[in-house]
Amino acid sequence: RGWTADMKIQICALIFLCQTYAESLYRNGTKPNIMMVMSDAFDGRLTFDPGSKVVQLPYVNYLRELGSTFLSAYTNSPICCPSRAAMWSGQFVHLTQSWNNYKCLDANATTWMDLLEANGYLTKSMGKLDYTSGSHSVSNRVEAWTRDVQFLLRQEGRPVTQLVGNMSTVRIMRKDWENTDKATQWIHQRAASPHQPFALYLGLNLPHPYETESLGPNAGGSTFLTSPYWLTKVSTELISVPKWLPTSAMHPVDYYSTSTKNCSGDFTEEEIKRIRGYYYAMCAEADAMLGQVVSALRETGLLDNTVVIFTADHGELAMEHRQFYKMSMFEGSSHVPLLVTGPGLMSGLQVNELVSLVDLYPTVLDIAGISVKGILSGHTLIPLLSKARTFSRKRRPDWVLSEYHGCNVNASTYMLRSGRWKYIAYADGLSVPPQLFDITRDKEELHNVALIRPDVEAQLDKLLRSIVDYPKVSAAVHLYNKKSFGAWQYSLGRNYSQVIGNLRWHVDWQKDALANERAIDNWLADSL
């Protein structure tokens, strides 16, 4: 009652859309299979031009041709566990309270994989999951808890490269290859009994840098390691040397990150290109693992009825902005790959809309025909990908949110990407000013225009505050850090100094251990 003719036409069109999409996805009364491959530290800009030219990624390119490539996909937190917690739960980091690599989702949290299993899917997860609380090293959590302490200590080994084997050395990351082989075997087993739809998740560690063994068990991962075979996949003449701001012009948080990541020293141009080249070679090895499982789907005849998703938890700076690793809102760290292909979905499509990892939860449920219950942070991507696109675009936000609360950064960081702008805010007063980059004109993110464009800065800050009360969240993280560190310190008793003195920052710590202990004591006293 009260419907206009136009409204009736739109409703009929939406019904037709749903029917068309359902017919394309459901073949012979069965739901489509779903396979997700998630790598670690894969720079999303390598999946489309011009970044894709620097390294051969044949299976990424195959998925590009077969399906859709998202040109503006972002992590919701540029570090392993909080990012994956957002992807598995469909919730922003401040909602899951996944503050660092130690505190993430509870073990009984409901994931989209759980819902698939409850709705008739045969499910299997292999490899790196990394989204529940309690993982990662003592160093990682202590460095996150103490980031507000007034000291500046190197928390990582200096980034280095290592070449192993020869032109016949293909399988370097053994654990990843073992999991890829298991996934391949599992796919072949499913082909023998195809009556039940399946959901397969494969988590890779590559192209995450390896642990630097020479620096001891607490050194962390700062070695870019590959073989001559994979280096042949890299076009060395196309490897760029990133421009760096002088240290005096760096934002205070970026300066802190550069120092704690052990990148404040001198690097030759050849050294930088070698680090970047080895990283690209590691991406090529990860691409081959993706290719093995996609080939298994094709060989078994399952590919035509399987939705394949390739993505990553975050990127890798690879010496951009005088940093390696992630933990930054710069593009190399926050921009992730996202490729989707499957029955009823567009081929060869490049999607410009801003999306993030929280969108995968409702997308997977949409693919499986499962209704979403509760409020999610993300929105299904299917309307952007379906072949029946005429009336398919539901209203989705024109922004994405990413936030970071862990180690190697001394302030909670909030990134809002909207249109041409990237706004990065902090809640620590005038000492940590915001950053604003025009991504279209300043792709290298070297020119902070927050003071030049106060109108844009004010508009985006207002939008950000409507999404998350970030000063309140930052205060909660500060309190969590102090309580958590205090409880950990108390549990150690007299062993406190000895344990903390042997963490990843031990070289700098031992230069003046008493001064560092006093800094921690002063920080704890000014708090609870």
Side-chain angles (χ1 to χ4, degrees), residues 6-61:
D6 286 344
M7 291 173 64
K8 292 179 180 179
I9 292 172
Q10 289 185 5
I11 290 170
C12 290
L14 287 172
I15 293 173
F16 173 76
L17 165 69
C18 294
Q19 292 174 339
T20 303
Y21 181 62
E23 289 172 3
S24 65
L25 283 184
Y26 293 73
R27 307 176 66 200
N28 301 322
T30 63
K31 297 181 179 181
N33 306 310
I34 300 169
M35 185 179 77
M36 181 184 294
V37 178
M38 175 172 255
S39 64
D40 192 315
F42 200 113
D43 185 345
R45 299 170 300 174
L46 298 177
T47 61
F48 52 85
D49 295 338
S52 61
K53 290 182 169 60
V54 74
V55 57
Q56 297 173 32
L57 302 173
Y59 294 102
V60 162
N61 291 336

Side-chain angles (χ1 to χ4, degrees), residues 258-483:
T258 290
S259 299
T260 59
K261 291 179 181 178
N262 207 349
C263 292
S264 56
D266 294 330
F267 289 84
T268 65
E269 182 173 305
E270 178 58 34
E271 193 175 3
I272 294 168
K273 292 186 72 172
R274 189 164 60 249
I275 290 171
R276 291 171 68 77
Y278 278 46
Y279 168 68
Y280 297 143
M282 293 159 67
C283 291
E285 186 178 0
D287 177 80
M289 298 172 189
L290 169 66
Q292 180 169 308
V293 290
V294 170
S295 295
L297 290 173
R298 186 175 55 199
E299 292 162 2
T300 55
L302 294 172
L303 184 59
D304 288 342
N305 195 39
T306 301
V307 175
V308 178
I309 301 170
F310 173 66
T311 189
D313 56 350
H314 51 73
E316 164 63 54
L317 286 163
M319 301 311 293
E320 293 182 11
H321 302 280
R322 192 185 276 270
Q323 297 181 43
F324 80 110
Y325 249 10
K326 52 276 186 175
M327 305 143 174
S328 166
M329 296 303 174
F330 288 126
E331 288 290 288
S333 168
S334 63
H335 199 137
V336 297
L338 182 55
L339 299 100
V340 184
T341 183
L345 303 182
M346 299 283 282
S347 298
L349 181 69
Q350 291 192 331
V351 183
N352 290 303
E353 278 84 352
L354 290 162
V355 301
S356 64
L357 292 179
V358 289
D359 293 326
L360 293 179
Y361 188 111
T363 300
V364 169
L365 296 188
D366 199 356
I367 291 167
I370 302 171
S371 60
V372 175
K373 297 180 180 179
I375 299 175
L376 295 178
S377 301
H379 301 263
T380 177
L381 301 173
I382 295 303
L384 303 176
L385 304 177
S386 174
K387 290 179 179 177
R389 288 165 58 94
T390 309
F391 293 95
S392 63
R393 290 177 184 267
K394 296 180 181 179
R395 183 160 182 81
R396 58 181 291 120
D398 60 355
W399 49 264
V400 292
L401 172 71
S402 188
E403 53 190 294
Y404 183 69
H405 308 283
C407 61
N408 290 111
V409 174
N410 59 340
S412 285
T413 309
Y414 307 83
M415 185 272 280
L416 188 69
R417 176 75 202 278
S418 180
R420 62 195 278 193
W421 301 105
K422 177 186 285 189
Y423 177 58
I424 306 173
Y426 311 87
D428 295 76
L430 296 177
S431 61
V432 189
Q435 293 170 286
L436 179 66
F437 299 101
D438 183 342
I439 298 297
T440 58
R441 295 184 177 182
D442 180 23
K443 295 185 184 301
E444 294 178 307
E445 299 172 283
L446 295 173
H447 304 284
N448 179 12
V449 296
L451 294 178
I452 300 174
R453 293 300 304 269
D455 55 328
V456 176
E457 188 270 331
Q459 177 185 358
L460 293 178
D461 190 74
K462 181 180 179 180
L463 176 58
L464 176 61
R465 289 173 186 267
S466 73
I467 300 166
V468 53
D469 185 349
Y470 68 87
K472 182 178 179 181
V473 172
S474 293
V477 175
H478 288 314
L479 183 59
Y480 157 80
N481 285 340
K482 288 186 176 180
K483 285 186 174 181

Side-chain angles (χ1 to χ4, degrees), residues 166-218:
N166 51 43
M167 282 300 295
S168 63
T169 306
V170 175
R171 294 192 165 205
I172 302 171
M173 172 47 76
R174 293 287 183 182
K175 189 65 177 177
D176 277 355
W177 280 110
E178 289 174 8
N179 289 321
T180 302
D181 289 342
K182 291 177 183 177
T184 304
Q185 183 180 11
W186 194 85
I187 290 170
H188 281 275
Q189 291 172 347
R190 295 285 59 75
S193 54
H195 303 296
Q196 182 181 12
F198 68 79
L200 172 63
Y201 172 88
L202 174 61
L204 303 177
N205 198 66
L206 276 181
H208 189 292
Y210 291 74
E211 292 183 2
T212 306
E213 296 178 358
S214 62
L215 298 178
N218 291 318

Side-chain angles (χ1 to χ4, degrees), residues 486-502:
W488 177 79
Q489 182 190 49
Y490 179 79
S491 71
L492 293 176
R494 294 182 179 180
N495 291 329
Y496 155 69
S497 296
Q498 180 180 354
V499 173
I500 201 169
N502 285 291

